[in-house]
Amino acid sequence: MFCCLRTVRRLCLDKILLQCILQSRTLSGADAINALRPFYFAVHPDFFGQHPKEREVNENSLKRLNGYLENLQKPGFRSFKPTQLTFYVREREPNSSNVQEPFSASGFRAVSFTLHTRDLLSTVLDILNSCSLSTEHVQSLNVNSQPHKEAKSTVNRPIKWDKTYYSFTGFKDPEEELEQAQRVETTLLSWLDYNEASAVKKLKKSLPLRKELERLKIELSHELQLSDIRWQRSWGIAHRCSQLHSLGRLVQQRPEILENVKGRTVVFTDRSGMSAAGHIMLGTMDVHHHWTKIFERLPNYYKLQKRLLLLEDQISQLLGGIQVIYIEELQPLFTLEEYFETLNSFYNKLRDSRLPFHPRSLRGLQMILESDRYAPSLHELGHFMIPTVCDPAALQWFIFAKAQEARENLKRKEEMMITEKELINTSMERFSLDRLYKEPSVSSAQMIDCCKRLLEESLPYLQGMHLCISHFYSVLQDGDLCIPWNWKN
C-alpha cells in the first residue's frame, strides 16, 4: 500500500514539476546535461572498468542517448522514433528501489526504457525516473533559455479535441501518433533502408584510415615480433591509428626496452600493466614514460606469471584435476597481480579444507574464479563459475552433482563454435560483407540464431559493409552497422 502511494505521489509531483517549469521556461541543452548528472554518475563506463560487458552496454547506450538529445535540440526536428535503451546502474545501497529490475552477475541493476518524448524536460524526467533517481534537483535549475513553442502551447491550451475534429480537419491526432509510435517495433529491413546511406558515407570516409591502421598493425607486429595487437574498447579507427603511432615513436626512441615482447599480445586499454591472461596492457591515457616502465618491468611480470601458472596447477590438483582458466570475454579485466592474489587466497582456503577429491577424477572439466559471486554455478559453455568465498563443502557437492552436465555442455560448446564459424563464413559470402563480427557480450548460441535468420533474408543493403552483431541498432562513427542478434522483421 505504501509503495503504491509513494509511486502515485512521485508521479503527481513530477507532473506538477513539469507543468511549473514549462509555464516559465524550457530546458536548454546545458540544463539537461546538468539535470542528468546523477544519471551519468550512475552509468558512466569508467566506473565499470573491471566489468567489460556492462561497460560496453553503457558506452553504446550513451552514444544513442546523446544522439537522441541532440536531435531534440535541432530546430524543426520532428522525425522522432522511439528509442529503446538499456543501462547497467550502480546501486547506491541494496534494495534502494521498490522496482524489481534484473541484476547482472556482477551485481549491477539492468534498466531498460523507451524514449519517445519530444522535449528535453520530459526526456530528462523519464530517464531519471526509469533509473529510480531523484528529480527534485530539476526544479532548482536556473534555466535562461527561451520558451519552447511546442511546450508553451501545451500548457496555455490544454484542450483535448474530440476524435471527430481530426477526422474532419485532416489534422493528425498527437495522442494517436504517440500510441502508434509506442506500438511500432523497429524491423531490420526498415532500419537498414533508413540508415544505409549514412553508413555507406561513413564507411567510405574511413577507408583510407582503415588501410593505414592495417599497415601500422602489420609493421609493428612484424618489427616487435608480436603475437597480436588488440583493443579492449570499441575506439574509432582514427583513435586506434593514433595509439599505434605513439607505440611506433616509442620503438624509435627506446628500441632496447622492447626486446622482451616477442610472442606477446599488446592490448590498448584503460590502464597499463600485464593482464591476467598475460597480455601487455598499454593505458591510452598514459604517456610514454608509463609505457616505458611497463616494458622495463616485463622480466618481473614473466616471473610472476610462472608463479601464477604453478598456483593454477596446485588448485587443479586439490580439485581432482579440474582446469583453472581465465576467459577474457566473460571475466573482469584483472591485472596479473590482482589475479594472483585472488588465486592465492582461494588456494589457501582449499588447502586448509582438505576436500576429498579423487586425483584426476575431474580431468577435462574447467572452472573460472569470480570475486563478485556467492554461489557456484555452471555456465552454458560448460565451465564452472566458482566464487572465491564459496564454502568448500558446498563447492564439492555442487561440482560432483553437475560434473556430467558440464561435460555435455563442453562437448556442445565445441560443436557450437564450429557451427558459428561456418555460418559466419556463409553469411559473409552470401551478402558480400567485408566483415562480420559480434560483440563479446553476444553468445555463440545468439550468433548462430542470428546468422541462420539472416540467411533466410534478401539483404542487398549489406554488400561491402562491416556488420556487427550486438544488442541494439546503431551506425558506428566509422560506418559499421550494428544490429541486435534478435532483430525483428
Side-chain angles (χ1 to χ4, degrees):
M1 182 67 180
F2 285 113
C3 291
C4 294
L5 288 173
R6 188 165 58 185
T7 302
V8 172
R9 178 176 174 271
R10 190 178 69 180
L11 291 173
C12 291
L13 286 173
D14 287 344
K15 187 175 181 182
I16 294 170
L17 171 62
L18 178 62
Q19 289 185 343
C20 289
I21 298 180
L22 284 175
Q23 285 173 343
S24 58
R25 55 184 72 89
T26 303
L27 246 61
S28 67
D31 294 322
I33 293 173
N34 192 26
L36 287 172
R37 278 184 180 178
F39 165 75
Y40 287 131
F41 181 77
V43 304
H44 199 286
D46 285 351
F47 295 118
F48 295 77
Q50 292 192 345
H51 302 278
K53 175 188 173 183
E54 288 80 0
R55 177 179 192 135
E56 186 178 15
V57 170
N58 283 13
E59 278 182 345
N60 292 321
S61 293
L62 279 173
K63 289 177 186 177
R64 300 175 66 215
L65 173 60
N66 290 337
Y68 189 92
L69 294 175
E70 286 174 7
N71 286 336
L72 284 176
Q73 298 171 67
K74 291 180 181 178
F77 191 87
R78 291 293 179 270
S79 181
F80 288 96
K81 291 188 174 182
T83 300
Q84 185 171 11
L85 301 173
T86 296
F87 287 97
Y88 285 99
V89 181
R90 294 193 310 154
E91 284 289 28
R92 292 162 296 178
E93 58 184 28
N95 302 322
S96 61
S97 169
N98 59 337
V99 182
Q100 298 298 315
E101 291 96 349
F103 280 76
S104 71
S106 52
F108 299 107
R109 179 164 52 96
V111 178
S112 297
F113 53 88
T114 301
L115 296 178
H116 48 69
T117 47
R118 295 182 178 231
D119 65 273
L120 278 174
L121 181 58
S122 300
T123 303
V124 167
L125 291 173
D126 279 356
I127 294 169
L128 294 173
N129 284 328
S130 297
C131 296
S132 304
L133 297 170
S134 172
T135 59
E136 293 178 5
H137 63 287
V138 181
Q139 195 169 11
S140 62
L141 287 177
N142 183 20
V143 183
N144 298 315
S145 59
Q146 293 299 315
H148 193 291
K149 291 181 180 179
E150 185 178 343
K152 184 177 178 181
S153 63
T154 304
V155 175
N156 293 344
R157 191 175 63 87
I159 302 173
K160 185 175 181 180
W161 295 99
D162 189 89
K163 298 294 182 184
T164 54
Y165 166 78
Y166 298 105
S167 301
F168 182 76
T169 61
F171 294 149
K172 292 183 178 180
D173 183 350
E175 288 188 359
E176 187 175 324
E177 275 190 309
L178 179 59
E179 289 175 3
Q180 288 178 352
Q182 290 173 333
R183 286 196 301 267
V184 171
E185 190 169 13
T186 302
T187 64
L188 177 62
L189 290 177
S190 65
W191 186 84
L192 288 174
D193 184 52
Y194 186 80
N195 290 280
E196 180 198 17
S198 170
V200 169
K201 183 179 178 181
K202 290 180 178 180
L203 182 60
K204 285 182 178 178
K205 186 178 178 181
S206 74
L207 288 178
L209 273 178
R210 289 181 186 271
K211 291 180 180 178
E212 173 72 359
L213 178 67
E214 190 63 22
R215 181 186 68 80
L216 288 169
K217 187 175 177 182
I218 291 173
E219 288 181 359
L220 281 170
S221 296
H222 177 73
E223 185 173 358
L224 300 176
Q225 299 184 59
L226 295 171
S227 173
D228 195 9
I229 298 177
R230 302 179 193 169
W231 285 263
Q232 183 207 359
R233 295 169 58 187
S234 54
W235 283 295
I237 303 297
H239 197 166
R240 297 186 182 202
C241 284
S242 175
Q243 291 157 3
L244 291 184
H245 278 300
S246 292
L247 180 58
R249 286 193 295 271
L250 183 59
V251 172
Q252 297 298 323
Q253 296 165 6
R254 298 288 305 276
E256 74 281 359
I257 66 169
L258 295 160
E259 295 175 353
N260 296 314
V261 300
K262 182 179 178 180
R264 294 283 169 170
T265 293
V266 168
V267 181
F268 289 97
T269 180
D270 293 323
R271 52 180 175 166
S272 297
M274 180 167 280
S275 72
H279 302 325
I280 301 167
M281 301 190 300
L282 299 180
T284 57
M285 300 301 291
D286 292 338
V287 294
H288 279 183
H289 174 68
H290 295 102
W291 289 6
T292 300
K293 282 188 174 182
I294 295 303
F295 287 120
E296 289 174 344
R297 291 177 189 160
L298 285 181
N300 292 330
Y301 279 125
Y302 296 156
K303 290 177 183 177
L304 180 59
Q305 190 177 26
K306 288 181 179 178
R307 292 176 59 197
L308 186 145
L309 293 174
L310 178 61
L311 200 52
E312 287 181 338
D313 287 340
Q314 290 173 328
I315 293 173
S316 176
Q317 291 172 15
L318 292 174
L319 292 177
I322 190 170
Q323 182 186 8
V324 183
I325 61 173
Y326 177 82
I327 305 176
E328 290 181 90
E329 295 81 6
L330 298 178
Q331 292 183 257
L333 181 64
F334 286 121
T335 63
L336 194 67
E337 299 94 329
E338 291 169 343
Y339 191 51
F340 181 84
E341 289 301 319
T342 299
L343 286 173
N344 193 45
S345 173
F346 185 71
Y347 168 71
N348 291 331
K349 189 173 184 177
L350 279 182
R351 184 187 58 189
D352 296 340
S353 66
R354 300 179 182 277
L355 293 176
F357 280 99
H358 189 277
R360 299 185 295 280
S361 61
L362 298 176
R363 287 186 67 180
L365 297 181
Q366 298 174 338
M367 62 166 277
I368 64 174
L369 275 178
E370 297 200 336
S371 56
D372 49 15
R373 286 177 176 267
Y374 293 94
S377 60
L378 177 62
H379 195 274
E380 61 178 6
L381 297 180
H383 58 267
F384 289 98
M385 296 183 289
I386 308 300
T388 54
V389 297
C390 184
D391 174 65
L395 172 62
Q396 180 188 16
W397 177 87
F398 184 82
I399 291 178
F400 281 148
K402 296 287 185 177
Q404 184 56 37
E405 184 181 348
R407 294 187 190 279
E408 293 170 359
N409 286 3
L410 283 171
K411 184 179 179 181
R412 190 159 51 246
K413 170 191 170 182
E414 294 176 4
E415 296 170 352
M416 284 174 59
M417 291 182 71
I418 294 171
T419 303
E420 180 184 11
K421 187 176 181 180
E422 291 174 349
L423 285 170
I424 288 175
N425 292 334
T426 303
S427 299
M428 286 187 65
E429 184 178 348
R430 164 78 180 277
F431 301 115
S432 301
L433 286 162
D434 268 13
R435 188 185 179 202
L436 174 59
Y437 62 104
K438 66 175 183 177
E439 290 185 345
S441 54
V442 176
S443 68
S444 293
Q446 291 169 338
M447 187 68 172
I448 289 171
D449 177 70
C450 177
C451 289
K452 283 182 176 179
R453 293 171 58 237
L454 282 175
L455 289 169
E456 296 173 357
E457 302 292 331
S458 175
L459 301 169
Y461 309 94
L462 299 181
Q463 185 172 354
M465 300 303 293
H466 292 236
L467 183 64
C468 173
I469 307 304
S470 176
H471 297 277
F472 55 86
Y473 286 104
S474 179
V475 178
L476 301 184
Q477 60 182 332
D478 294 306
D480 293 41
L481 290 166
C482 288
I483 64 170
W485 68 270
N486 56 344
W487 50 270
K488 301 293 189 295
N489 204 17

